Amino acid sequence: MRSFRPIVLLALALLCAAVPLRAQSNVGESAVFAFDTRDDTTGLAAESAVFAFNTRVVDGLQGAAESGTFAFDSRGATLPPLQITGVLRDSAGVPVVGATIQLKRAGVIFWQGVTGAGGTYTTPNLSGVNYTAIVTKPGYVTNILNQTGTAGGIQTLNITLQSLPAAPNVTTVNRTLTGNEVRPVPTSSDPDAPVLLRYNGSQFVTDMTGLQNSTNMTVVISHGWVPSDFGDIATALDWVKNLAIQINNHHDGLSQPPNILLWDWRQKAHTRLPQTDTTNEIGVQLGKALQSALGSTYNQHVHFIGHSLGTIVNRYACEYAHRSLTGNDARDNPATGWNSALTKPHITLLDEAELAVAANTRVITSSVLGAACANLATGILFGAAEAKKDWKYPIPNDAWWVDNYISCVGLQHGDAVNVCLPGKVLASSNPVSAFIDGHSYAHEWYRDSVNPAFFGASPPPVGYSLSLEGAGNFPPGGNGLTNGSFWIENLETSDPLDLTFDPNPIWNQASITLAAAFGVITTAPITQPLDALGQSVMNGYMSTILWVGDIGGTTIVKAGQVFTATGQKIGLWWDAAVDKASNFVDSINPDSTNNAPLTKGGYRILLQTQPPAIAASAAALGKSDGTVAVPAAAPAAQPPYAWVTVPVPANAGLMAFDFTVTGDPVDDRIACAVNGQNIFTLPAKFAPEGEPMSTDMMDISAYAGQTIEVFFGLAGGTSTNCEVAIDGLRFITVPTPNVGVAVNGANVAVKWSAAASGWVLESSETLLPGSWQAVPLGSGPAAQSGVLSIQEAVTGPKKFYRLRRTP
């Protein structure tokens, strides 16, 4: 699509410019640095940023139309020697003796030394300018610094090490749960329980008559999150009904309409914040409902269509129905499951929910829009393989074919055919409406693809026509329909369904395109090695992350088998789910990033199931009369619980923590509560064993500036050999945004950060109590480069403006 390519090229040029090539001195021929110069856009030099190489070309172009790769080597780029010297001190300024300092380049140690008297160190002459310094000593938090250095000469690098914080005080008490620390296990008797509905040709009904004996294929539709301020939540299903109407009327691949089922979980989805920790159990409920409605041996084709969080719900439903939910077949899966060779599950992702955990909340809405989209390019580059391990991953094990429509917050997948749809984002100048409209656009576009004749257009190359009900050969095959393929909406034509195929995409191209669509690609670096969700908050508010280990005053109260330890957390990013993953920018040039890997001291809480007492053997219970007493039943395993008293920073808006599960949790659930109210509950069996995971960012803004009690538990009492390590408890601060006012003739311009979601602009002419009134915003403030603004006529001698936080 020609209209987007210049911006995408600019984004790529910025990426290249931010990652300079390493010049090596007298090391032979460097590794191949490859470029694909194929492009249908003329004037490339004018569109891209200027960058230069001090190298020699060793292989030329193969052709003008479609060039091959060409390599550069840097043998001739000899650099002057670099020597690094400095002093290592602790946080109190006292020199640290005997610490180890490593300098790495391209992941290889090219110097290692130990600080001497006075904490001093000096390297010999070194070649190259970019390096990573790693400083370690027992009892201190490891410090890792990425440095760009100089072109040579002597560079001074003074380093500070922080002492590990002291272990918290631990008090053992006999304490039980209040009843609200753990979210109840969902049951069908819950008045807010989800319900499976069938489309009968005019409306959705609960009647499932005839489905057990159905020879029709089935379409399963799951909606996503319904914000607590959505209004009439009945309208949240309008898009589902509109899609069902189209499928019911247009099913060229079938002799009669398919079974169209809706999983209505609005009451559970109607929350202040989207909660991905609820979707797995809700998805299992859907799997059970499908087996009940269609039968345990259903053998017709199944098409799962999910929007936002509904994509995760569908994943667990599909895996349960096909007996692939977990590796423990007998315990976690139904006795009889569907055969995926017969059902051939087709998975359609409509703007999946990877960023939904940070979107459309009163805390961080516009920060996602303004900054996160620019950071998506690197935020998702920690690798698809790692993402598949996460309990939030939307693609089930049994999928036969996946089409993925990205319109705002979805992610590009290597095991799906990807379609990027930035049209609605571009159509709105307001960041909030851009998110709302953009997030909905995926299901609107897919609905329109069911009946393209309405637009006088041919079926798009990717869309409903490729489904079995749309007369497609399933699974689809051919050029552009294999995993990893990338299509993008062509906005230069009048056909709203027109797509352009990119035969050689970069796998994060959808993210870069959407970043360009938001218009922030040139103002926010795309090479920051931070998680997309976290960085959206940090960029949007210039926020900071405060770790509980750095706040102090923490007391842990325990029950069951709980251990505490003081240690250090070292990771590339602040989110443990990607701590262990490769930093994409580092994989290009490990020595050039400006953001150091995260290293913080902190506390670790180990929740360990206490095994039940071993029943006495019969021999030990022998009686004097020769009979043997029946041993008493062994007590159940004791669930471990811990309560942590923590002061919350005054500007804190969000809280998160990391956890790692080892052993067999059976049906136990990881739970977290604040002041007795549950905020996170996840069945531990859905967390891959031994893999560090992170929670979503949970809203704790109501507790800002207070001391709270945080509960952690491994609840249920079903496991006997499970341990959950809780660490990385952290707060993300939300500073108060500033308001700018400028008078321009007869008008006044008021500006404030687009990241100030959840704040109301008010004005007063007197500053007296009760005089503040909300400023009418009409159709909404104008948005540009992360700044919102309005224009008002000057009506008096003075007027004051403020932003007030809404409840």
Side-chain angles (χ1 to χ4, degrees):
M1 187 186 69
R2 195 178 296 273
S3 62
F4 276 100
R5 194 173 299 274
I7 304 179
V8 174
L9 289 173
L10 176 57
L12 296 176
L14 288 173
L15 179 61
C16 292
V19 185
L21 293 177
R22 294 186 298 273
Q24 301 181 2
S25 176
N26 301 320
V27 292
E29 189 168 298
S30 65
V32 171
F33 192 98
F35 294 86
D36 185 349
T37 59
R38 176 179 49 209
D39 193 271
D40 62 355
T41 304
T42 59
L44 179 62
E47 294 166 3
S48 64
V50 176
F51 54 94
F53 300 93
N54 183 18
T55 57
R56 64 181 181 84
V57 178
V58 295
D59 185 22
L61 301 181
Q62 293 182 354
E66 185 170 319
S67 68
T69 57
F70 55 100
F72 294 84
D73 78 80
S74 52
R75 286 188 302 187
T78 303
L79 296 171
L82 169 67
Q83 189 177 48
I84 305 167
T85 184
V87 179
L88 178 64
R89 299 182 176 89
D90 62 19
S91 55
V94 178
V96 178
V97 180
T100 300
I101 299 180
Q102 291 181 340
L103 298 183
K104 286 187 175 182
R105 198 157 62 100
V108 177
I109 298 174
F110 69 103
W111 179 79
Q112 178 172 309
V114 178
T115 55
T120 60
Y121 73 97
T122 301
T123 72
N125 288 337
L126 306 169
S127 63
V129 294
N130 299 321
Y131 60 90
T132 299
I134 304 175
V135 187
T136 59
K137 186 176 182 180
Y140 293 87
V141 178
T142 299
N143 199 344
I144 305 177
L145 307 95
N146 286 325
Q147 300 292 314
T148 55
T150 66
I154 299 176
Q155 176 185 342
T156 300
L157 178 62
N158 296 322
I159 306 172
T160 300
L161 281 184
Q162 294 182 346
S163 299
L164 286 174
N169 298 322
V170 179
T171 304
T172 303
V173 297
N174 183 18
R175 179 171 175 177
T176 58
L177 302 181
T178 64
N180 296 321
E181 281 100 340
V182 183
R183 188 172 59 244
V185 176
T187 64
S188 58
S189 61
D190 184 343
D192 292 332
V195 65
L196 187 64
L197 303 174
R198 178 179 64 88
Y199 186 69
N200 67 1
S202 61
Q203 60 184 338
F204 282 102
V205 297
T206 57
D207 179 22
M208 298 290 162
T209 303
L211 287 186
Q212 282 276 359
N213 300 317
S214 175
T215 58
N216 288 0
M217 69 160 292
T218 298
V219 177
V220 182
I221 307 175
S222 293
H223 64 81
W225 175 50
V226 182
S228 59
D229 56 356
F230 188 83
D232 182 7
I233 66 171
T235 62
L237 298 183
D238 286 352
W239 74 268
V240 180
K241 184 175 181 180
N242 292 335
L243 178 58
I245 292 172
Q246 292 299 320
I247 294 176
N248 189 72
N249 294 337
H250 302 280
H251 45 83
D252 295 343
L254 307 173
S255 59
Q256 56 186 341
N259 306 318
I260 304 176
L261 304 180
L262 160 65
W263 185 236
D264 180 3
W265 62 291
R266 283 172 295 173
Q267 296 301 326
K268 295 297 184 183
H270 190 47
T271 57
R272 178 178 174 86
L273 290 174
Q275 295 175 287
T276 57
D277 59 306
T278 66
T279 53
N280 42 71
E281 291 180 303
I282 290 172
V284 171
Q285 283 186 296
L286 171 56
K288 293 178 179 178
L290 291 174
Q291 281 225 337
S292 175
L294 295 166
S296 60
T297 59
Y298 183 70
N299 58 12
Q300 303 300 313
H301 183 71
V302 180
H303 184 184
F304 287 91
I305 302 174
H307 176 245
S308 191
L309 286 177
T311 61
I312 307 176
V313 171
N314 280 352
R315 170 220 165 154
Y316 285 95
C318 181
E319 290 182 346
Y320 180 86
H322 291 87
R323 300 191 77 249
S324 62
L325 187 64
T326 70
N328 194 317
D329 290 344
R331 186 182 68 207
D332 299 327
N333 297 304
T336 304
W338 297 351
N339 184 345
S340 62
L342 301 175
T343 59
K344 299 180 180 178
H346 175 187
I347 309 299
T348 294
L349 308 178
L350 303 175
D351 214 33
E352 57 139 318
E354 178 63 23
L355 284 188
V357 295
N360 205 17
T361 74
R362 295 187 181 278
V363 178
I364 53 175
T365 299
S366 298
S367 65
V368 173
L369 305 179
C373 291
N375 287 302
L376 284 176
T378 52
I380 66 171
L381 286 175
F382 57 84
E386 295 301 324
K388 291 179 184 179
K389 300 175 183 178
D390 201 298
W391 83 87
K392 300 184 290 290
Y393 192 65
I395 300 177
N397 298 321
D398 310 280
W400 271 55
W401 195 73
V402 184
D403 47 346
N404 176 30
Y405 302 87
I406 307 161
S407 60
C408 186
V409 298
L411 300 183
Q412 196 170 334
H413 289 291
D415 44 5
V417 174
N418 303 279
V419 180
C420 183
L421 305 169
K424 278 294 180 73
V425 169
L426 280 174
S428 177
S429 60
N430 182 291
V432 175
S433 59
F435 171 79
I436 296 173
D437 295 341
H439 192 41
S440 301
Y441 186 42
H443 64 66
E444 295 170 356
W445 189 95
Y446 191 80
R447 175 204 63 205
D448 293 343
S449 77
V450 178
N451 183 23
F454 179 80
F455 303 100
S458 301
V462 183
Y464 175 77
S465 63
L466 295 182
S467 65
L468 191 63
E469 59 270 37
N473 293 319
F474 198 84
N479 188 38
L481 301 179
T482 57
N483 286 345
S485 297
F486 183 84
W487 299 79
I488 189 166
E489 184 179 14
N490 188 349
L491 301 180
E492 292 185 343
T493 70
S494 59
D495 181 359
L497 299 176
D498 190 20
L499 300 177
T500 297
F501 175 58
D502 188 335
N504 191 28
I506 55 173
W507 79 272
N508 63 318
Q509 185 166 339
S511 301
I512 292 180
T513 301
L514 287 175
F518 273 106
V520 294
I521 200 68
T522 58
T523 60
I526 64 171
T527 56
Q528 300 184 37
L530 289 167
D531 169 74
L533 304 183
Q535 185 62 13
S536 68
V537 181
M538 296 178 68
N539 276 359
Y541 285 96
M542 297 302 292
S543 301
T544 57
I545 297 171
L546 297 178
W547 296 74
V548 170
D550 297 335
I551 297 175
T554 303
T555 301
I556 298 176
V557 185
K558 71 178 185 177
Q561 193 89 352
V562 177
F563 305 93
T564 62
T566 301
Q568 56 182 297
K569 178 180 180 59
I570 305 175
L572 292 172
W573 302 335
W574 66 268
D575 189 328
V578 291
D579 273 349
K580 62 194 179 302
S582 298
N583 180 323
F584 175 74
V585 178
D586 276 355
S587 71
I588 298 175
N589 185 353
D591 312 311
S592 67
T593 59
N594 294 320
N595 301 78
L598 173 71
T599 307
K600 285 288 182 182
Y603 305 134
R604 167 170 283 204
I605 304 170
L606 301 178
L607 303 174
Q608 189 175 77
T609 300
Q610 187 169 342
I614 300 174
S617 66
L621 294 173
K623 294 184 177 181
S624 58
D625 62 1
T627 62
V628 177
V630 177
Q638 185 177 8
Y641 305 134
W643 289 264
V644 186
T645 304
V646 181
V648 180
N651 290 326
L654 302 165
M655 185 183 83
F657 64 89
D658 307 325
F659 59 91
T660 305
V661 177
T662 54
D664 183 5
V666 192
D667 288 321
D668 284 356
R669 307 158 92 213
I670 304 166
C672 176
V674 172
N675 287 355
Q677 297 299 314
N678 180 263
I679 60 174
F680 179 86
T681 299
L682 177 74
K685 63 188 175 185
F686 294 137
E689 184 175 6
E691 296 287 343
M693 293 282 117
S694 291
T695 67
D696 296 334
M697 295 182 291
M698 299 168 287
D699 183 10
I700 48 86
S701 57
Y703 305 103
Q706 304 175 29
T707 295
I708 62 174
E709 186 178 67
V710 182
F711 162 81
F712 297 105
L714 182 60
T718 64
S719 65
T720 58
N721 67 340
C722 183
E723 177 182 280
V724 176
I726 304 289
D727 63 7
L729 180 59
R730 56 195 179 270
F731 297 105
I732 297 91
T733 65
V734 184
T736 303
N738 296 321
V739 180
V741 179
V743 177
N744 183 14
N747 294 319
V748 60
V750 185
K751 298 183 179 182
W752 66 99
S753 171
S757 174
W759 298 76
V760 174
L761 181 67
E762 296 180 332
S763 65
S764 169
E765 295 181 353
T766 64
L767 294 180
L768 294 175
S771 66
W772 291 96
Q773 300 293 324
V775 176
L777 300 180
S779 60
Q784 183 176 9
S785 300
V787 175
L788 301 179
S789 64
I790 64 165
Q791 296 279 340
E792 276 203 321
V794 176
T795 57
K798 61 182 181 296
K799 181 179 281 191
F800 305 92
Y801 292 88
R802 75 177 184 184
L803 286 172
R804 178 177 60 82
R805 185 72 174 271
T806 57

